[in-house]
């Protein structure tokens, strides 16, 4: 895909939101951010998703992670739409800011474009405190996000960052489950980093590359 992608720095755009105006890098500073886009207000799948984001907001707060929405309409439209979002998902409160992009000028700069429909997409970037994209999801218009998977992927990124990317998380990993030790580490280096020990999978190749450790 053209445009910014994994490892790229998000452009430091000045944006107008339902809260106030700010530069994106100021918002990203000192924390991780989930930045998610929507093609327009008062659309059915997006209404369910923004309600879910609000409902899960405590989970993001517990992890020290900010939320930032974006939709291709103006501020007043966003504020009116929020009433529907909160009504559809009882108990949810949309406390996170939503960027206004009525002229669709911001969304292509953030590479949140649907190549099939050739227009704004329902995309999601997880952005680190360094303003770089750490993970991206791009959804077709027919498929809503899975919030549990967004949280799981976020937990994986936070865990890897905590251990300076010397570990990775295996398939279907969840917090408190074993992680994989990077193949870049020798066994001696791994023993120093994981004094509690680790398990090497006994595989036919006998290459010893699949090592699992319990971490916190």
């Amino acid at each position: 895909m053209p445009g910014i992608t994994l490892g790229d720095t998000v452009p430091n755009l000045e944006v107008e939101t339902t809260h106030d105006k700010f530069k994106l890098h100021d918002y990203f500073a000192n924390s991780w951010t989930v930045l998610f886009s929507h093609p327009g207000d008062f659309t059915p799948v997006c209404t369910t998703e923004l309600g879910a984001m609000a409902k899960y907001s405590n989970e993001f707060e517990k992890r020290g992670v900010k939320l930032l929405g974006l939709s291709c309409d103006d501020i007043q439209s966003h504020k009116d739409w929020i009433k529907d979002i909160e009504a559809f998902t009882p108990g949810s409160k949309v406390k996170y800011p939503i960027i206004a992009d009525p002229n669709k000028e911001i969304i292509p700069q953030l590479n949140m474009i649907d190549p099939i429909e050739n227009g704004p997409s329902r995309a999601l970037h997880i952005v680190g405190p360094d303003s770089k994209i750490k993970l991206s999801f791009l959804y077709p218009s027919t498929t809503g996000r899975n919030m549990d998977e967004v949280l799981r992927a976020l937990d994986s990124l936070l865990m890897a960052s905590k251990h300076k990317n010397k570990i990775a998380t295996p398939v279907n990993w969840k917090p408190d489950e074993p992680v994989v030790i990077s193949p870049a580490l020798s066994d001696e280096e791994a023993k120093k980093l994981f004094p509690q020990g680790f398990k090497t999978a006994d595989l036919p190749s006998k290459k010893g590359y699949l090592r699992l450790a319990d971490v916190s």
Side-chain angles (χ1 to χ4, degrees), residues 149-176:
E149 173 58 14
V150 172
L151 273 179
R152 192 198 71 84
L154 176 62
D155 283 335
S156 171
L157 290 169
L158 293 173
M159 177 65 75
S161 177
K162 179 180 178 181
H163 292 277
K164 303 185 188 308
N165 293 327
K166 293 180 179 179
I167 60 98
T169 58
V171 64
N172 295 333
W173 176 88
K174 293 179 182 178
D176 300 324

Side-chain angles (χ1 to χ4, degrees), residues 38 42 58 70 98-99 109 133 138-139 143 158 174 195:
H38 300 273
F42 303 103
N58 288 340
L70 186 160
I98 304 173
I99 298 169
Q109 295 184 71
I133 296 176
L138 177 61
Y139 298 83
T143 304
L158 293 173
K174 293 179 182 178

Side-chain angles (χ1 to χ4, degrees), residues 39-191:
D41 299 354
F42 303 103
T43 51
V45 175
C46 299
T47 298
T48 66
E49 290 185 333
L50 268 75
M53 282 290 186
K55 193 171 183 178
Y56 276 70
S57 60
N58 288 340
E59 290 296 326
F60 291 105
E61 288 173 9
K62 282 194 302 187
R63 293 161 171 79
V65 175
K66 298 175 184 175
L67 298 175
L68 179 59
L70 186 160
S71 184
C72 295
D73 282 294
D74 61 32
I75 295 297
Q76 187 57 54
S77 177
H78 288 356
K79 290 180 177 179
D80 293 339
W81 186 28
I82 286 171
K83 298 172 187 176
D84 283 5
I85 293 165
E86 293 177 343
F88 182 79
T89 307
S92 66
K93 201 74 178 169
V94 178
K95 298 177 182 178
Y96 52 81
I98 304 173
I99 298 169
D101 190 20
N103 297 320
K104 300 179 177 62
E105 296 172 342
I106 296 171
I107 209 158
Q109 295 184 71
L110 300 179
N111 196 19
M112 292 173 137
I113 295 295
D114 184 332
I116 297 173
E117 300 193 5
N118 195 30
S121 71
R122 289 175 27 264
L124 183 149
H125 297 321
I126 297 180
V127 183
D130 57 1
S131 298
K132 294 181 184 294
I133 296 176
K134 307 301 182 180
L135 180 148
S136 289
F137 291 116
L138 177 61
Y139 298 83
S141 60
T142 54
T143 304
R145 296 179 175 99
N146 183 306
M147 291 304 303
D148 291 325
E149 173 58 14
V150 172
L151 273 179
R152 192 198 71 84
L154 176 62
D155 283 335
S156 171
L157 290 169
L158 293 173
M159 177 65 75
S161 177
K162 179 180 178 181
H163 292 277
K164 303 185 188 308
N165 293 327
K166 293 180 179 179
I167 60 98
T169 58
V171 64
N172 295 333
W173 176 88
K174 293 179 182 178
D176 300 324
E177 293 182 351
V179 300
V180 172
I181 300 171
S182 169
L185 294 180
S186 67
D187 281 348
E188 290 305 312
E189 291 170 320
K191 287 174 184 176

